[in-house]
Amino acid sequence: MKTTTSRKALSIAIKKAEEIGADIVIGTDPDCDRLGVVVNHQNQAHFLNGNEIAILMIDYLLSNLKEQSKMPVKPLIIKSIVTSNLQRIIAKKFDVTIMDT
């Protein structure tokens, strides 16, 4: 979701999240091929971009796989050349191969 689209599409959810003190709002478009994520940061709605979402997902997934001793034998992350290099740092931390496309 583009940020302007996300703001409009998630406005009702953000308002509700603010009312109940929620930490995160996640929304998708009807066919779920786009994702909007908003987190409560210092009582302000902060929209995460694609790089931020991917970094959090990679760290979460690899942390859990390691904790559960379920890390694949040859773990691999494939990322776009335009995404953040922070993914490389996380992959290295978990001894995971990373490739650019």
Side-chain angles (χ1 to χ4, degrees):
M1 290 182 182
K2 293 181 181 177
T3 303
T4 54
T5 305
S6 295
R7 288 184 193 282
K8 187 175 180 182
L10 296 175
S11 62
I12 295 170
I14 292 167
K15 183 176 178 182
K16 185 64 174 179
E18 290 169 347
E19 288 174 15
I20 64 173
D23 294 323
I24 188 168
V25 171
I26 299 173
T28 66
D29 67 327
D31 65 353
C32 298
D33 67 342
R34 289 175 284 166
L35 174 71
V37 178
V38 181
V39 296
N40 179 349
H41 178 68
Q42 300 177 343
N43 294 318
Q44 293 288 326
H46 173 75
F47 287 77
L48 299 183
N49 64 41
N51 277 319
E52 292 167 327
I53 294 168
I55 288 163
L56 290 170
M57 289 174 58
I58 288 169
D59 188 64
Y60 176 81
L61 291 170
L62 295 177
S63 293
N64 279 280
L65 287 169
K66 182 177 180 179
E67 182 180 300
Q68 296 172 21
S69 298
K70 293 184 177 180
M71 189 67 76
V73 176
K74 293 182 179 181
L76 171 67
I77 295 171
I78 300 173
K79 70 176 203 61
S80 167
I81 60 171
V82 298
T83 57
S84 171
N85 280 321
L86 184 52
Q87 295 175 31
R88 290 194 176 288
I89 295 167
I90 295 169
K92 184 176 181 181
K93 172 180 149 185
F94 291 98
D95 199 28
V96 172
T97 301
I98 192 161
M99 296 175 63
D100 287 319
T101 60

